[in-house]
Amino acid sequence: MEENGVQDRLLGSENQEEDLKRRVLAELKILRRIAFPAILTRISFFGLLIVTQSFMGHISEVDLSAFALVQVLLMRFTNGVLLGMACSLETLCGQAFGAKQYHMMGIYMQRSWVVLTATSLILLPFFVFATPFLKLLGQNDELSERGGVIALWFIPILFFFIFNFTLQMFLQAQLKNAIIGWLSAGTFVLHVILSWVTVDKLNWGIPGAMGSMILSCWLTIIGELAYVFGGWCPQTWGGFSMKAFSELWAVVKLSVSSGVMLCLELWYNSVLLVFAGFMKDAVISIAAFSICLNITAWVLMISFGFLTAASVRVSNELGRGNAKATKFAIKVVFCTSLAIGFLFFTVLLSMGNAISYAFTSSVAVAKVVSKLSLLLSITVLLNSIQPVFNGVAIGAGWQNICAYVNIVCYYVIGIPLGLILAYVADLEVNGIWIGMTCGIAAQSIALLFITARTNWDQQVVNASARLDGWLLRETDNNTSTAQNV
């Protein structure tokens, strides 16, 4: 009898292992469907900026630094505002798809278009008056004047963000984001070819580099709109609706909380870049710091793919009311992203001395980048962790909590520590980067603790209440009436 009991326990253990393996493989299959197109999309878009910066760097150091200022200060500022506000759509569409409230997803997207367009018009003066704005921040006259010219070329990109973010979140919530990935990859290749022709062969300089980027970006949007309007989303897109102009204040409130959460994170690096501009050799410091930021940001695009996967999986499962599946999905996404982070950590450690020459011909800039290679590798490893928890927060609708975490970790810990090390300890760019890394580490630990202590059964209840409060009933004549809750 005892022998039979042992055999039963061994058999039960084997069955559990097989069941776990099956569940992991099934989750990885879903993860691949979400993460791979998201990674391809983000790498391709950020690749547009990297390619443009690379061509700028081979024109002159001043153009490289001016482009870096506009990209990291103005573009990251507006990107943070618009992407952050669009994250409210990610929460709502993901949970609505899980709850099978398909008809609401198109209405949610149209509401986001209205809110983000109004926000973009408010942000437009930063680009029109970029030169005085950069001078106000203490940047030297030459960089500010050149940055003002480049900023005007970024205005079409500002309005591109409205459709780029919302269409991505609308499609990825229903696992249809493969089209976005392939369109983005195709336009990236086109941008490389156009930049080479217009800058290297035709010597058009800034107009050639920026013009090719604008064209490539908007071709992606045209393809995505054709996919949505052309009938490939029959359940979730029912055409334009006047309901897009209802409940806008509720959309604004949720969008603002999402915007604050992400802005505090994306502006973190921008603030540090401003302080890099106050160092002894501002042009070299800004160029080196921006190259390192772009390297980490490009690798971060992969982690952002897992942010998307975490957000979609959490929101979908909460919408379905499945707390257990939510927790399991988080574990699989986290482990996968961390494993890839270790891979890039190793690669950057081994290539730290050579990688900078892909972005600049300046030996002085390359030497500064080389000195940051170890810190750069550590930052990349940390950046494989924190986006996953940001995705969990977006999927669950915790934007307010994350905003407080970001304030403490980045602006109370990271920036003050970086300034002390840079200016008091005289570590210069290395000191700023150490402070930045400590802020990221603190944020990762805080979000890990919050996620581990969360009552996911209660989160299911919260998601259901949110969806019921926003629901508009679908009727036979395709009109909607508000549901009283």
Side-chain angles (χ1 to χ4, degrees):
M1 293 291 293
E2 184 177 349
E3 184 178 347
N4 290 336
V6 172
Q7 290 178 348
D8 290 341
R9 286 194 296 271
L10 289 174
L11 183 60
S13 177
E14 290 176 359
N15 290 336
Q16 288 178 353
E17 290 178 4
E18 285 295 324
D19 181 60
L20 178 61
K21 181 179 179 180
R22 179 184 57 78
R23 291 172 60 203
V24 169
L25 290 176
E27 188 64 40
L28 287 174
K29 185 177 180 181
I30 299 174
L31 179 60
R32 179 184 58 80
R33 286 186 62 191
I34 303 170
F36 177 73
I39 290 170
L40 186 60
T41 300
R42 291 179 182 274
I43 287 179
S44 298
F45 173 70
F46 196 74
L48 297 180
L49 296 174
I50 295 294
V51 168
T52 305
Q53 182 171 9
S54 179
F55 279 98
M56 291 287 186
H58 289 94
I59 295 173
S60 72
E61 288 183 1
V62 175
D63 285 320
L64 173 63
S65 295
F67 182 88
L69 276 176
V70 175
Q71 180 195 339
V72 177
L73 295 180
L74 294 182
M75 285 308 297
R76 191 159 291 182
F77 169 75
T78 54
N79 180 76
V81 172
L82 296 176
L83 177 58
M85 295 183 74
C87 283
S88 63
L89 178 65
E90 194 167 12
T91 302
L92 292 171
C93 278
Q95 294 183 1
F97 186 78
K100 298 184 179 180
Q101 296 177 4
Y102 303 126
H103 67 286
M104 288 300 301
M105 295 177 65
I107 295 175
Y108 289 147
M109 181 167 67
Q110 292 173 64
R111 288 174 179 171
S112 287
W113 285 346
V114 174
V115 173
L116 293 185
T117 299
T119 305
S120 296
L121 293 174
I122 295 172
L123 295 172
L124 184 60
F126 286 104
F127 293 85
V128 177
F129 303 105
T131 295
F133 177 70
L134 292 174
K135 289 180 179 179
L136 183 65
L137 292 177
Q139 304 304 312
N140 67 52
D141 290 344
E142 184 180 16
L143 287 178
S144 298
E145 293 292 340
R146 193 67 62 89
V149 174
I150 293 174
L152 294 176
W153 285 95
F154 268 109
I155 291 176
I157 307 298
L158 171 67
F159 291 96
F160 153 80
F161 284 151
I162 298 171
F163 299 98
N164 181 54
F165 297 146
T166 52
L167 285 166
Q168 282 185 31
M169 292 169 185
F170 172 75
L171 290 170
Q172 73 193 18
Q174 49 192 307
L175 307 184
K176 290 185 176 181
N177 57 335
I179 181 66
I180 305 174
W182 295 121
L183 284 172
S184 300
T187 53
F188 171 74
V189 174
L190 176 65
H191 177 55
V192 173
I193 296 172
L194 286 176
S195 297
W196 175 70
V197 171
T198 57
V199 179
D200 279 2
K201 297 301 179 182
L202 299 178
N203 293 317
W204 287 359
I206 292 175
M210 296 300 299
S212 65
M213 183 171 70
I214 292 169
L215 178 61
S216 299
C217 286
W218 277 96
L219 283 176
T220 305
I221 297 303
I222 292 171
E224 292 171 6
L225 289 173
Y227 182 83
V228 174
F229 295 166
W232 281 275
C233 301
Q235 289 183 301
T236 56
W237 177 259
F240 294 97
S241 171
M242 291 302 295
K243 293 298 179 182
F245 296 94
S246 65
E247 302 288 346
L248 283 181
W249 180 239
V251 176
V252 169
K253 289 192 292 184
L254 183 59
S255 297
V256 167
S257 65
S258 299
V260 170
M261 166 196 155
L262 203 59
C263 287
L264 290 171
E265 184 159 346
L266 294 179
W267 294 348
Y268 179 45
N269 295 337
S270 303
V271 171
L272 291 171
L273 183 67
V274 170
F275 289 118
F278 298 145
M279 292 183 178
K280 298 172 185 177
D281 195 338
V283 172
I284 298 297
S285 297
I286 290 176
F289 195 80
S290 66
I291 286 173
C292 289
L293 283 179
N294 282 332
I295 292 171
T296 58
W298 209 346
V299 177
L300 192 61
M301 295 304 104
I302 296 176
S303 297
F304 277 168
F306 289 102
L307 180 155
T308 297
S311 173
V312 172
R313 291 297 296 128
V314 168
S315 60
N316 283 175
E317 295 301 340
L318 289 179
R320 293 188 184 101
N322 195 335
K324 185 177 180 181
T326 302
K327 291 186 285 185
F328 185 75
I330 293 171
K331 293 175 183 177
V332 173
V333 175
F334 173 76
C335 293
T336 306
S337 182
L338 183 61
I340 294 176
F342 271 115
L343 175 63
F344 281 103
F345 171 81
T346 304
V347 170
L348 287 174
L349 272 182
S350 61
M351 297 180 59
N353 294 327
I355 199 168
S356 59
Y357 287 104
F359 302 91
T360 181
S361 302
S362 171
V363 176
V365 173
K367 285 182 178 179
V368 177
V369 175
S370 178
K371 292 178 181 178
L372 288 168
S373 60
L374 175 60
L375 292 171
L376 185 63
S377 303
I378 295 172
T379 303
V380 165
L381 182 60
L382 289 173
N383 281 342
S384 69
I385 299 173
Q386 57 98 354
V388 172
F389 294 118
N390 280 337
V392 172
I394 292 170
W398 300 341
Q399 286 90 335
N400 284 334
I401 297 174
C402 279
Y404 292 121
V405 171
N406 289 347
I407 289 173
V408 174
C409 295
Y410 290 157
Y411 297 89
V412 177
I413 297 174
I415 290 178
L417 180 60
L419 294 179
I420 292 171
L421 293 175
Y423 294 102
V424 178
D426 202 27
L427 294 179
E428 296 192 336
V429 177
N430 294 62
I432 291 180
W433 200 278
I434 292 171
M436 182 185 74
T437 304
C438 290
I440 295 172
Q443 188 221 32
S444 300
I445 294 170
L447 293 180
L448 173 61
F449 177 79
I450 292 171
T451 303
R453 296 294 300 272
T454 295
N455 182 340
W456 289 102
D457 291 314
Q458 182 59 46
Q459 294 304 312
V460 167
V461 175
N462 295 344
S464 177
R466 180 186 296 113
L467 291 174
D468 288 344
W470 289 62
L471 179 63
L472 298 173
R473 284 184 181 173
E474 190 176 35
T475 60
D476 293 336
N477 61 356
N478 292 324
T479 60
S480 300
T481 56
Q483 179 186 28
N484 295 320
V485 181

